[in-house]
Amino acid sequence: MDLSYSSEDLTFRDQVRSFLAEKLPSEISEKMRLGQVLGKAAFDQWHSILNDQGWLAPNWPAEFGGAEWNAVQKHIFEEECAMANAPRVVPFGLTMLAPVLQKFGSDAQKAHYLPRILSGEDWWCQGYSEPGAGSDLASLKTKAVRDGDHYIVNGQKTWTTLGQFANWIFCLVRTDPDVKQQEGISFLLIDMATPGIEVRPIILLDGTPEVNEIWFTDVRVPIENLVGEENKGWTYAKYLLTHERTNTAGVGSSHAGLNAVKRMARAEVSNGRPLIENPHFAARLALVEIDLLAMSTTNLRIVSKAAVGQAPGVEASMLKVKGTIIRQEINDLARRAAGPYAMPFVSEAVEGDNAPPIGPDYAGPVAAQYFNNRKLSIFAGSNEIQRGIIAKVKLGAMG
Amino acid sequence: MNFELTQERQMLQDTLRRFLADRYDTRTRNEILESDAGLSANIWSEMAELGIVGAMFTQDQGGFGGAGFDLAVVFEELGRAGVVEPFLDTAILGGGLIAALGSDAQKELLDQVIGGTLHLAFAHGEPTSRYDLAQVETSIVQNGQNVTLNGRKAVVINAEAADLLVVSARESGAAGGAGGEDGISLFLVPTDMAGVELQGYPMLSGGRAAEVVLNNVTLPVSARLGAAGKAFPAIAERAAAASVALAAEALGAMETAVRLTGEYLMTRKQFGRPIGTFQALQHRYSDLLIELEQVRSAVINAAGHLESDAKTRDWHVAAARNLIGRAGRMVAEDAIQMHGGIAMTQEYELAHIAKRIIMTDHRFGDTDYHLERFIALSAA
Ligand SMILES: Cc1cc2nc3c(=O)[nH]c(=O)nc-3n(C[C@H](O)[C@H](O)[C@H](O)COP(=O)(O)OP(=O)(O)OC[C@H]3O[C@@H](n4cnc5c(N)ncnc54)[C@H](O)[C@@H]3O)c2cc1C
């Protein structure tokens, strides 16, 4: 056991710090600091800055252009990025689709899609969920029927995050309706510009158009866009989900969020003293910090066990549950810290236009974020589903 | 002991519940949320005609209620339907302060308030006051028969729609804490008065508020409500009444949240069965029902002590608001969670209801503020 960073780790950390100081655009970090929503341009810009540095894909094997960092390096990078108010990279291509293509894709698919993910040429979105298929994803109904060298896709996907920015979508579709649900699903890559696709925004409870409904009407998809084998999509989908879950632990963003709450609580005054000295608020803050301290080590322990390009198994579910509880608690603290100024809803504050803030600049988005981040325990496999998985695996091993 | 509503209150509850069920459905309400005014003038006047504003005032004041239980009955229904119209601001706060402190001439305004033709807002909180009722720095200078006000008021709900603001200002003493209670006066300030500037905005859970700047606002001394520097007890009493109303509103909203959740659990199917058949959700749902009973009792305790002496009153109010702050968070969060994605959408009823529940925690003291009040009042 050794909890300290090695000298290589420290060198790496200094490298990351100077990179961020030099390359992270201040307009972007300022928006992040104020909790404002980023537009496509900002995501694209940060993506290409990281790509130029060769740091976009720490999780990818080197043969595909990945950085192949170890767990500690990944941890350092995430922490430093969060502290510097850097945005997270959009995960759909980089951390969801890419591992699937690397493991199950054809050589042609790897050669075509992976570089385009790195370059930012393709923005992917995730077409898993449907109105009737949420937790029970395997019940999905969107169907793909073979017609010569095409599939004809009909159906509806929903909750598609940032689908409005995407030019590609990876979809789970039903290719065999007559077998056990899990055995009739395929994994298809679909160009969003194909005729018959319609994207409709869904406005979330914080007023943001973050997700979409996507309708498919006789959409013709070339058969070479099938990943792996027909009707084996469920295996690939589950593989992707473990990668997605590990990502949602969000240790870095929790640290940044906690720091933001501390800044707020130093500025706010309660009973003539800074709020951070208020015993009840201080206790709430301390409890989350204590949890996060342990969680951060849990994350390192678990991530360091997984090999390059691999994701942990049932532990990913544990990280997801605990990580999201902590993040949501931090959102709750931020809301409390803002006091009455949590009430104004200034969409400019969320979207980042230059309207003058109402009250202190940190207060604007906190309540909206509190509500928006209720999603953390719902998506990427709800926390109830994760608990079910943990119990099934662990109890199953005992039976 | 008797936990039944009086016949009059039962009628009031039935009338209001029926009216809101007919006239205030999700679509209507969402249109109001989207509107520039942030409230419906029609709904307001229809509800005033039904006597909803009158129910907030005693007979002496020209109404037919005014007790803690009247407030609780009305606000539970408003909460149930997720009503965003500012009854708290115009009736309980603005109207209530005029009723408590006003001269006979000033009290004549109450007819218009009760009739639904006059809107009011309570401009009390300031940018750094958080929940401290005595943190008033807005200044007053008296010049013969005139007074001049200068200061800033924060998150003044209903300020733009209001004809008159009830503005607090300091005649003497220093702002904040128990020492700051003395020396505060209230003034009736027309919103179109020279030197009154409003920066308006919508609120996350509906309705509108404004930042109010008072820049050399000069008024006749007759605009003062009650004796100079002595307004605090009335402010504290109205803050307690507002807390009873907010507690009851949260109760009504929680009832809706739990009802929607129950209905959804029995209709939404995953894995070939209603999700309400999963024990993990059944237990959570049961916990919400248990909390709801606690919340109802807390509202009754607070409402039943609104007319008690200040210490007893505030002790019960603090208890109720703390309990409801905790239970409200649990109900709002668990109701969303048990719905899954659908509850995250703007247009679904629960989204608004959850926001109403949570955002009550940002008016007249949050969960921790009321915990501290409870501890302090228990020791006193
Ligand atoms: C903001 C947001 C973004 C999203 N982005 C995407 C995206 O980009 N792409 C995509 O494909 N999907 C996305 N999703 C969808 C997400 O994956 C689903 O919401 C999730 O799978 C849950 O499905 P559901 O919403 O239909 O809820 P349901 O599955 O209907 O669940 C409702 C409730 O029942 C519980 N439940 C269900 N089954 C069980 C069980 N067996 N035992 C105990 N409890 C159970 C759930 O935990 C939940 O509390 C997103 C969702 C949100 C909210």
PDB file of all heavy atoms in Angstrom, chain A residues 131-132 136 203 205 268 278 280 284 337 341 345 370 377 384, chain B residues 130 202 211 268 270-271 284 333 337 344 346 355 362 368 372:
ATOM      1  N   PRO A 131     -39.645   4.468 -25.768  1.00  0.00           N
ATOM      2  CA  PRO A 131     -40.694   4.778 -24.787  1.00  0.00           C
ATOM      3  C   PRO A 131     -41.071   3.556 -23.939  1.00  0.00           C
ATOM      4  O   PRO A 131     -41.258   3.669 -22.735  1.00  0.00           O
ATOM      5  CB  PRO A 131     -41.866   5.228 -25.654  1.00  0.00           C
ATOM      6  CG  PRO A 131     -41.237   5.772 -26.898  1.00  0.00           C
ATOM      7  CD  PRO A 131     -40.001   4.929 -27.124  1.00  0.00           C
ATOM      8  N   GLY A 132     -41.122   2.403 -24.544  1.00  0.00           N
ATOM      9  CA  GLY A 132     -41.526   1.213 -23.792  1.00  0.00           C
ATOM     10  C   GLY A 132     -40.355   0.400 -23.273  1.00  0.00           C
ATOM     11  O   GLY A 132     -40.543  -0.594 -22.575  1.00  0.00           O
ATOM     12  N   ASP A 136     -35.965  -2.035 -18.941  1.00  0.00           N
ATOM     13  CA  ASP A 136     -36.091  -3.313 -19.653  1.00  0.00           C
ATOM     14  C   ASP A 136     -35.704  -3.087 -21.119  1.00  0.00           C
ATOM     15  O   ASP A 136     -36.529  -3.154 -22.023  1.00  0.00           O
ATOM     16  CB  ASP A 136     -37.539  -3.796 -19.536  1.00  0.00           C
ATOM     17  CG  ASP A 136     -37.738  -5.152 -20.191  1.00  0.00           C
ATOM     18  OD1 ASP A 136     -36.724  -5.812 -20.530  1.00  0.00           O
ATOM     19  OD2 ASP A 136     -38.903  -5.543 -20.366  1.00  0.00           O
ATOM     20  N   ILE A 203     -37.967  18.937 -23.900  1.00  0.00           N
ATOM     21  CA  ILE A 203     -37.465  19.929 -22.949  1.00  0.00           C
ATOM     22  C   ILE A 203     -37.486  19.309 -21.553  1.00  0.00           C
ATOM     23  O   ILE A 203     -38.490  18.797 -21.097  1.00  0.00           O
ATOM     24  CB  ILE A 203     -38.339  21.207 -22.955  1.00  0.00           C
ATOM     25  CG1 ILE A 203     -38.509  21.749 -24.378  1.00  0.00           C
ATOM     26  CG2 ILE A 203     -37.753  22.274 -22.035  1.00  0.00           C
ATOM     27  CD1 ILE A 203     -37.226  22.153 -25.049  1.00  0.00           C
ATOM     28  N   LEU A 205     -36.912  19.272 -17.295  1.00  0.00           N
ATOM     29  CA  LEU A 205     -37.560  20.071 -16.265  1.00  0.00           C
ATOM     30  C   LEU A 205     -36.798  21.318 -15.881  1.00  0.00           C
ATOM     31  O   LEU A 205     -37.360  22.224 -15.277  1.00  0.00           O
ATOM     32  CB  LEU A 205     -37.897  19.215 -15.025  1.00  0.00           C
ATOM     33  CG  LEU A 205     -36.806  18.872 -14.016  1.00  0.00           C
ATOM     34  CD1 LEU A 205     -37.412  18.052 -12.888  1.00  0.00           C
ATOM     35  CD2 LEU A 205     -35.644  18.179 -14.621  1.00  0.00           C
ATOM     36  N   GLU A 268     -21.580  33.530   1.139  1.00  0.00           N
ATOM     37  CA  GLU A 268     -22.902  33.740   1.739  1.00  0.00           C
ATOM     38  C   GLU A 268     -22.757  34.015   3.240  1.00  0.00           C
ATOM     39  O   GLU A 268     -21.879  33.452   3.896  1.00  0.00           O
ATOM     40  CB  GLU A 268     -23.769  32.489   1.547  1.00  0.00           C
ATOM     41  CG  GLU A 268     -24.221  32.262   0.128  1.00  0.00           C
ATOM     42  CD  GLU A 268     -25.332  33.222  -0.291  1.00  0.00           C
ATOM     43  OE1 GLU A 268     -26.255  33.459   0.516  1.00  0.00           O
ATOM     44  OE2 GLU A 268     -25.268  33.731  -1.433  1.00  0.00           O
ATOM     45  N   ASN A 278     -21.446  27.992   9.514  1.00  0.00           N
ATOM     46  CA  ASN A 278     -22.704  27.575  10.135  1.00  0.00           C
ATOM     47  C   ASN A 278     -22.630  26.073  10.431  1.00  0.00           C
ATOM     48  O   ASN A 278     -22.344  25.269   9.549  1.00  0.00           O
ATOM     49  CB  ASN A 278     -23.857  27.887   9.170  1.00  0.00           C
ATOM     50  CG  ASN A 278     -25.178  27.359   9.675  1.00  0.00           C
ATOM     51  OD1 ASN A 278     -25.377  26.158   9.800  1.00  0.00           O
ATOM     52  ND2 ASN A 278     -26.084  28.264   9.962  1.00  0.00           N
ATOM     53  N   HIS A 280     -24.645  23.636  10.925  1.00  0.00           N
ATOM     54  CA  HIS A 280     -25.457  22.665  10.187  1.00  0.00           C
ATOM     55  C   HIS A 280     -25.010  22.539   8.751  1.00  0.00           C
ATOM     56  O   HIS A 280     -24.928  21.448   8.201  1.00  0.00           O
ATOM     57  CB  HIS A 280     -26.940  23.021  10.282  1.00  0.00           C
ATOM     58  CG  HIS A 280     -27.413  23.012  11.696  1.00  0.00           C
ATOM     59  ND1 HIS A 280     -27.606  24.155  12.419  1.00  0.00           N
ATOM     60  CD2 HIS A 280     -27.622  21.983  12.543  1.00  0.00           C
ATOM     61  CE1 HIS A 280     -27.951  23.833  13.649  1.00  0.00           C
ATOM     62  NE2 HIS A 280     -27.973  22.523  13.750  1.00  0.00           N
ATOM     63  N   ARG A 284     -23.168  19.236   6.881  1.00  0.00           N
ATOM     64  CA  ARG A 284     -23.612  18.652   5.608  1.00  0.00           C
ATOM     65  C   ARG A 284     -22.430  18.561   4.632  1.00  0.00           C
ATOM     66  O   ARG A 284     -22.242  17.575   3.938  1.00  0.00           O
ATOM     67  CB  ARG A 284     -24.683  19.526   4.958  1.00  0.00           C
ATOM     68  CG  ARG A 284     -26.042  19.448   5.600  1.00  0.00           C
ATOM     69  CD  ARG A 284     -27.040  20.300   4.810  1.00  0.00           C
ATOM     70  NE  ARG A 284     -28.302  20.447   5.493  1.00  0.00           N
ATOM     71  CZ  ARG A 284     -29.313  19.572   5.409  1.00  0.00           C
ATOM     72  NH1 ARG A 284     -29.191  18.493   4.669  1.00  0.00           N
ATOM     73  NH2 ARG A 284     -30.436  19.774   6.067  1.00  0.00           N
ATOM     74  N   ALA A 337     -27.048  26.472  -0.438  1.00  0.00           N
ATOM     75  CA  ALA A 337     -26.121  27.581  -0.213  1.00  0.00           C
ATOM     76  C   ALA A 337     -26.617  28.858  -0.873  1.00  0.00           C
ATOM     77  O   ALA A 337     -26.401  29.955  -0.373  1.00  0.00           O
ATOM     78  CB  ALA A 337     -24.728  27.220  -0.731  1.00  0.00           C
ATOM     79  N   TYR A 341     -31.793  33.250  -3.511  1.00  0.00           N
ATOM     80  CA  TYR A 341     -31.362  33.461  -4.901  1.00  0.00           C
ATOM     81  C   TYR A 341     -31.332  32.165  -5.716  1.00  0.00           C
ATOM     82  O   TYR A 341     -30.978  32.177  -6.891  1.00  0.00           O
ATOM     83  CB  TYR A 341     -30.018  34.169  -4.962  1.00  0.00           C
ATOM     84  CG  TYR A 341     -30.160  35.677  -4.895  1.00  0.00           C
ATOM     85  CD1 TYR A 341     -29.558  36.417  -3.878  1.00  0.00           C
ATOM     86  CD2 TYR A 341     -30.902  36.368  -5.853  1.00  0.00           C
ATOM     87  CE1 TYR A 341     -29.693  37.792  -3.812  1.00  0.00           C
ATOM     88  CE2 TYR A 341     -31.052  37.743  -5.796  1.00  0.00           C
ATOM     89  CZ  TYR A 341     -30.441  38.448  -4.772  1.00  0.00           C
ATOM     90  OH  TYR A 341     -30.583  39.809  -4.720  1.00  0.00           O
ATOM     91  N   PHE A 345     -35.219  31.961 -12.102  1.00  0.00           N
ATOM     92  CA  PHE A 345     -34.862  31.085 -13.216  1.00  0.00           C
ATOM     93  C   PHE A 345     -34.530  31.975 -14.399  1.00  0.00           C
ATOM     94  O   PHE A 345     -35.411  32.531 -15.038  1.00  0.00           O
ATOM     95  CB  PHE A 345     -35.992  30.142 -13.579  1.00  0.00           C
ATOM     96  CG  PHE A 345     -35.676  29.328 -14.799  1.00  0.00           C
ATOM     97  CD1 PHE A 345     -34.619  28.446 -14.778  1.00  0.00           C
ATOM     98  CD2 PHE A 345     -36.400  29.468 -15.959  1.00  0.00           C
ATOM     99  CE1 PHE A 345     -34.282  27.698 -15.905  1.00  0.00           C
ATOM    100  CE2 PHE A 345     -36.081  28.725 -17.089  1.00  0.00           C
ATOM    101  CZ  PHE A 345     -35.023  27.844 -17.064  1.00  0.00           C
ATOM    102  N   TYR A 370     -29.632  21.200  -9.849  1.00  0.00           N
ATOM    103  CA  TYR A 370     -30.132  20.221  -8.872  1.00  0.00           C
ATOM    104  C   TYR A 370     -31.193  19.346  -9.532  1.00  0.00           C
ATOM    105  O   TYR A 370     -31.167  18.116  -9.401  1.00  0.00           O
ATOM    106  CB  TYR A 370     -30.698  20.962  -7.650  1.00  0.00           C
ATOM    107  CG  TYR A 370     -31.601  20.122  -6.783  1.00  0.00           C
ATOM    108  CD1 TYR A 370     -31.073  19.310  -5.785  1.00  0.00           C
ATOM    109  CD2 TYR A 370     -32.989  20.145  -6.964  1.00  0.00           C
ATOM    110  CE1 TYR A 370     -31.910  18.524  -5.005  1.00  0.00           C
ATOM    111  CE2 TYR A 370     -33.828  19.368  -6.183  1.00  0.00           C
ATOM    112  CZ  TYR A 370     -33.290  18.561  -5.203  1.00  0.00           C
ATOM    113  OH  TYR A 370     -34.114  17.780  -4.437  1.00  0.00           O
ATOM    114  N   SER A 377     -29.210   9.365 -11.418  1.00  0.00           N
ATOM    115  CA  SER A 377     -29.595   8.079 -10.817  1.00  0.00           C
ATOM    116  C   SER A 377     -30.622   7.338 -11.674  1.00  0.00           C
ATOM    117  O   SER A 377     -31.053   6.248 -11.311  1.00  0.00           O
ATOM    118  CB  SER A 377     -30.131   8.299  -9.398  1.00  0.00           C
ATOM    119  OG  SER A 377     -31.059   9.359  -9.382  1.00  0.00           O
ATOM    120  N   GLU A 384     -31.666   1.586  -9.090  1.00  0.00           N
ATOM    121  CA  GLU A 384     -32.369   0.368  -8.659  1.00  0.00           C
ATOM    122  C   GLU A 384     -31.869  -0.829  -9.480  1.00  0.00           C
ATOM    123  O   GLU A 384     -31.640  -1.915  -8.943  1.00  0.00           O
ATOM    124  CB  GLU A 384     -33.884   0.515  -8.850  1.00  0.00           C
ATOM    125  CG  GLU A 384     -34.551   1.479  -7.880  1.00  0.00           C
ATOM    126  CD  GLU A 384     -34.221   2.930  -8.173  1.00  0.00           C
ATOM    127  OE1 GLU A 384     -34.128   3.308  -9.360  1.00  0.00           O
ATOM    128  OE2 GLU A 384     -34.030   3.699  -7.216  1.00  0.00           O
TER     129      GLU A 384
ATOM    130  N   ARG B 130     -30.419  36.623   3.169  1.00  0.00           N
ATOM    131  CA  ARG B 130     -30.833  35.208   3.235  1.00  0.00           C
ATOM    132  C   ARG B 130     -32.182  35.121   3.940  1.00  0.00           C
ATOM    133  O   ARG B 130     -33.161  35.680   3.437  1.00  0.00           O
ATOM    134  CB  ARG B 130     -29.787  34.338   3.926  1.00  0.00           C
ATOM    135  CG  ARG B 130     -28.638  33.939   3.025  1.00  0.00           C
ATOM    136  CD  ARG B 130     -27.648  33.031   3.724  1.00  0.00           C
ATOM    137  NE  ARG B 130     -28.088  31.649   3.753  1.00  0.00           N
ATOM    138  CZ  ARG B 130     -27.901  30.777   2.758  1.00  0.00           C
ATOM    139  NH1 ARG B 130     -27.247  31.150   1.689  1.00  0.00           N
ATOM    140  NH2 ARG B 130     -28.334  29.543   2.850  1.00  0.00           N
ATOM    141  N   PRO B 202     -38.468  35.410 -14.388  1.00  0.00           N
ATOM    142  CA  PRO B 202     -39.296  34.283 -13.958  1.00  0.00           C
ATOM    143  C   PRO B 202     -38.579  33.481 -12.873  1.00  0.00           C
ATOM    144  O   PRO B 202     -37.367  33.598 -12.701  1.00  0.00           O
ATOM    145  CB  PRO B 202     -39.426  33.438 -15.231  1.00  0.00           C
ATOM    146  CG  PRO B 202     -38.212  33.769 -16.033  1.00  0.00           C
ATOM    147  CD  PRO B 202     -37.800  35.164 -15.680  1.00  0.00           C
ATOM    148  N   GLU B 211     -35.783  42.103  -8.739  1.00  0.00           N
ATOM    149  CA  GLU B 211     -34.872  42.850  -7.886  1.00  0.00           C
ATOM    150  C   GLU B 211     -35.402  44.276  -7.885  1.00  0.00           C
ATOM    151  O   GLU B 211     -35.699  44.830  -8.948  1.00  0.00           O
ATOM    152  CB  GLU B 211     -33.455  42.813  -8.431  1.00  0.00           C
ATOM    153  CG  GLU B 211     -32.887  41.398  -8.560  1.00  0.00           C
ATOM    154  CD  GLU B 211     -32.797  40.695  -7.225  1.00  0.00           C
ATOM    155  OE1 GLU B 211     -31.891  41.018  -6.442  1.00  0.00           O
ATOM    156  OE2 GLU B 211     -33.647  39.811  -6.968  1.00  0.00           O
ATOM    157  N   ARG B 268     -47.084   1.727 -15.520  1.00  0.00           N
ATOM    158  CA  ARG B 268     -45.841   1.539 -16.254  1.00  0.00           C
ATOM    159  C   ARG B 268     -45.383   0.088 -16.141  1.00  0.00           C
ATOM    160  O   ARG B 268     -45.243  -0.439 -15.033  1.00  0.00           O
ATOM    161  CB  ARG B 268     -44.756   2.465 -15.694  1.00  0.00           C
ATOM    162  CG  ARG B 268     -43.355   2.229 -16.241  1.00  0.00           C
ATOM    163  CD  ARG B 268     -43.238   2.626 -17.676  1.00  0.00           C
ATOM    164  NE  ARG B 268     -41.847   2.645 -18.142  1.00  0.00           N
ATOM    165  CZ  ARG B 268     -41.521   2.794 -19.427  1.00  0.00           C
ATOM    166  NH1 ARG B 268     -42.477   2.945 -20.351  1.00  0.00           N
ATOM    167  NH2 ARG B 268     -40.267   2.817 -19.792  1.00  0.00           N
ATOM    168  N   GLN B 270     -42.434  -2.709 -17.069  1.00  0.00           N
ATOM    169  CA  GLN B 270     -41.110  -3.099 -17.541  1.00  0.00           C
ATOM    170  C   GLN B 270     -40.925  -4.550 -17.129  1.00  0.00           C
ATOM    171  O   GLN B 270     -41.468  -4.981 -16.105  1.00  0.00           O
ATOM    172  CB  GLN B 270     -40.023  -2.223 -16.928  1.00  0.00           C
ATOM    173  CG  GLN B 270     -40.011  -0.781 -17.454  1.00  0.00           C
ATOM    174  CD  GLN B 270     -39.502  -0.675 -18.897  1.00  0.00           C
ATOM    175  OE1 GLN B 270     -38.314  -0.600 -19.167  1.00  0.00           O
ATOM    176  NE2 GLN B 270     -40.438  -0.665 -19.838  1.00  0.00           N
ATOM    177  N   PHE B 271     -40.176  -5.299 -17.887  1.00  0.00           N
ATOM    178  CA  PHE B 271     -39.964  -6.726 -17.626  1.00  0.00           C
ATOM    179  C   PHE B 271     -41.307  -7.467 -17.544  1.00  0.00           C
ATOM    180  O   PHE B 271     -41.476  -8.372 -16.726  1.00  0.00           O
ATOM    181  CB  PHE B 271     -39.154  -6.930 -16.340  1.00  0.00           C
ATOM    182  CG  PHE B 271     -37.835  -6.189 -16.336  1.00  0.00           C
ATOM    183  CD1 PHE B 271     -37.696  -4.968 -15.671  1.00  0.00           C
ATOM    184  CD2 PHE B 271     -36.739  -6.693 -17.029  1.00  0.00           C
ATOM    185  CE1 PHE B 271     -36.493  -4.275 -15.679  1.00  0.00           C
ATOM    186  CE2 PHE B 271     -35.533  -6.008 -17.037  1.00  0.00           C
ATOM    187  CZ  PHE B 271     -35.411  -4.798 -16.368  1.00  0.00           C
ATOM    188  N   ARG B 284     -40.234   1.920  -1.104  1.00  0.00           N
ATOM    189  CA  ARG B 284     -40.021   3.375  -1.191  1.00  0.00           C
ATOM    190  C   ARG B 284     -41.344   4.107  -1.234  1.00  0.00           C
ATOM    191  O   ARG B 284     -41.515   5.153  -0.624  1.00  0.00           O
ATOM    192  CB  ARG B 284     -39.201   3.708  -2.434  1.00  0.00           C
ATOM    193  CG  ARG B 284     -37.748   3.361  -2.249  1.00  0.00           C
ATOM    194  CD  ARG B 284     -37.029   3.557  -3.524  1.00  0.00           C
ATOM    195  NE  ARG B 284     -36.536   4.921  -3.644  1.00  0.00           N
ATOM    196  CZ  ARG B 284     -35.558   5.243  -4.479  1.00  0.00           C
ATOM    197  NH1 ARG B 284     -35.003   4.329  -5.230  1.00  0.00           N
ATOM    198  NH2 ARG B 284     -35.138   6.478  -4.567  1.00  0.00           N
ATOM    199  N   GLU B 333     -37.703  13.853  -4.707  1.00  0.00           N
ATOM    200  CA  GLU B 333     -36.633  13.079  -5.354  1.00  0.00           C
ATOM    201  C   GLU B 333     -37.065  11.640  -5.632  1.00  0.00           C
ATOM    202  O   GLU B 333     -36.810  11.098  -6.712  1.00  0.00           O
ATOM    203  CB  GLU B 333     -35.362  13.104  -4.495  1.00  0.00           C
ATOM    204  CG  GLU B 333     -34.755  14.510  -4.417  1.00  0.00           C
ATOM    205  CD  GLU B 333     -33.447  14.561  -3.639  1.00  0.00           C
ATOM    206  OE1 GLU B 333     -33.036  13.531  -3.071  1.00  0.00           O
ATOM    207  OE2 GLU B 333     -32.841  15.665  -3.613  1.00  0.00           O
ATOM    208  N   GLN B 337     -37.525   9.706  -9.135  1.00  0.00           N
ATOM    209  CA  GLN B 337     -36.743   8.486  -9.364  1.00  0.00           C
ATOM    210  C   GLN B 337     -37.640   7.321  -9.758  1.00  0.00           C
ATOM    211  O   GLN B 337     -37.330   6.572 -10.683  1.00  0.00           O
ATOM    212  CB  GLN B 337     -35.947   8.143  -8.090  1.00  0.00           C
ATOM    213  CG  GLN B 337     -35.050   6.924  -8.226  1.00  0.00           C
ATOM    214  CD  GLN B 337     -33.898   7.158  -9.190  1.00  0.00           C
ATOM    215  OE1 GLN B 337     -33.501   8.305  -9.424  1.00  0.00           O
ATOM    216  NE2 GLN B 337     -33.363   6.106  -9.768  1.00  0.00           N
ATOM    217  N   MET B 344     -38.536  13.668 -15.786  1.00  0.00           N
ATOM    218  CA  MET B 344     -37.530  14.696 -16.082  1.00  0.00           C
ATOM    219  C   MET B 344     -38.009  15.672 -17.156  1.00  0.00           C
ATOM    220  O   MET B 344     -37.287  16.582 -17.518  1.00  0.00           O
ATOM    221  CB  MET B 344     -36.245  14.030 -16.580  1.00  0.00           C
ATOM    222  CG  MET B 344     -35.513  13.182 -15.555  1.00  0.00           C
ATOM    223  SD  MET B 344     -34.782  14.161 -14.234  1.00  0.00           S
ATOM    224  CE  MET B 344     -33.642  15.192 -15.167  1.00  0.00           C
ATOM    225  N   GLN B 346     -40.244  18.596 -18.865  1.00  0.00           N
ATOM    226  CA  GLN B 346     -40.924  19.835 -18.503  1.00  0.00           C
ATOM    227  C   GLN B 346     -42.448  19.693 -18.504  1.00  0.00           C
ATOM    228  O   GLN B 346     -43.125  20.235 -17.653  1.00  0.00           O
ATOM    229  CB  GLN B 346     -40.513  20.901 -19.530  1.00  0.00           C
ATOM    230  CG  GLN B 346     -41.128  22.233 -19.378  1.00  0.00           C
ATOM    231  CD  GLN B 346     -40.186  23.143 -18.610  1.00  0.00           C
ATOM    232  OE1 GLN B 346     -39.870  22.896 -17.443  1.00  0.00           O
ATOM    233  NE2 GLN B 346     -39.704  24.175 -19.257  1.00  0.00           N
ATOM    234  N   LYS B 355     -40.813  20.782  -8.405  1.00  0.00           N
ATOM    235  CA  LYS B 355     -40.161  22.085  -8.244  1.00  0.00           C
ATOM    236  C   LYS B 355     -40.869  22.917  -7.180  1.00  0.00           C
ATOM    237  O   LYS B 355     -40.226  23.593  -6.383  1.00  0.00           O
ATOM    238  CB  LYS B 355     -40.143  22.832  -9.580  1.00  0.00           C
ATOM    239  CG  LYS B 355     -39.120  22.245 -10.549  1.00  0.00           C
ATOM    240  CD  LYS B 355     -38.980  23.101 -11.780  1.00  0.00           C
ATOM    241  CE  LYS B 355     -39.685  22.462 -12.946  1.00  0.00           C
ATOM    242  NZ  LYS B 355     -39.549  23.241 -14.186  1.00  0.00           N
ATOM    243  N   HIS B 362     -36.908  27.535  -0.047  1.00  0.00           N
ATOM    244  CA  HIS B 362     -36.091  28.739  -0.237  1.00  0.00           C
ATOM    245  C   HIS B 362     -36.822  30.016   0.167  1.00  0.00           C
ATOM    246  O   HIS B 362     -36.369  31.106  -0.117  1.00  0.00           O
ATOM    247  CB  HIS B 362     -35.612  28.814  -1.692  1.00  0.00           C
ATOM    248  CG  HIS B 362     -34.636  27.726  -2.017  1.00  0.00           C
ATOM    249  ND1 HIS B 362     -33.277  27.896  -1.952  1.00  0.00           N
ATOM    250  CD2 HIS B 362     -34.825  26.434  -2.350  1.00  0.00           C
ATOM    251  CE1 HIS B 362     -32.667  26.758  -2.248  1.00  0.00           C
ATOM    252  NE2 HIS B 362     -33.594  25.849  -2.494  1.00  0.00           N
ATOM    253  N   ASP B 368     -32.492  23.899   7.383  1.00  0.00           N
ATOM    254  CA  ASP B 368     -31.490  24.132   8.433  1.00  0.00           C
ATOM    255  C   ASP B 368     -31.828  25.366   9.263  1.00  0.00           C
ATOM    256  O   ASP B 368     -31.643  25.377  10.484  1.00  0.00           O
ATOM    257  CB  ASP B 368     -30.097  24.317   7.807  1.00  0.00           C
ATOM    258  CG  ASP B 368     -29.539  23.003   7.283  1.00  0.00           C
ATOM    259  OD1 ASP B 368     -30.163  21.954   7.520  1.00  0.00           O
ATOM    260  OD2 ASP B 368     -28.487  23.037   6.617  1.00  0.00           O
ATOM    261  N   GLU B 372     -32.329  25.373  13.327  1.00  0.00           N
ATOM    262  CA  GLU B 372     -31.674  26.284  14.270  1.00  0.00           C
ATOM    263  C   GLU B 372     -32.702  27.060  15.097  1.00  0.00           C
ATOM    264  O   GLU B 372     -32.517  27.263  16.299  1.00  0.00           O
ATOM    265  CB  GLU B 372     -30.773  27.264  13.511  1.00  0.00           C
ATOM    266  CG  GLU B 372     -29.492  26.603  13.054  1.00  0.00           C
ATOM    267  CD  GLU B 372     -28.813  27.356  11.913  1.00  0.00           C
ATOM    268  OE1 GLU B 372     -29.103  28.555  11.734  1.00  0.00           O
ATOM    269  OE2 GLU B 372     -28.016  26.723  11.207  1.00  0.00           O
TER     270      GLU B 372
END
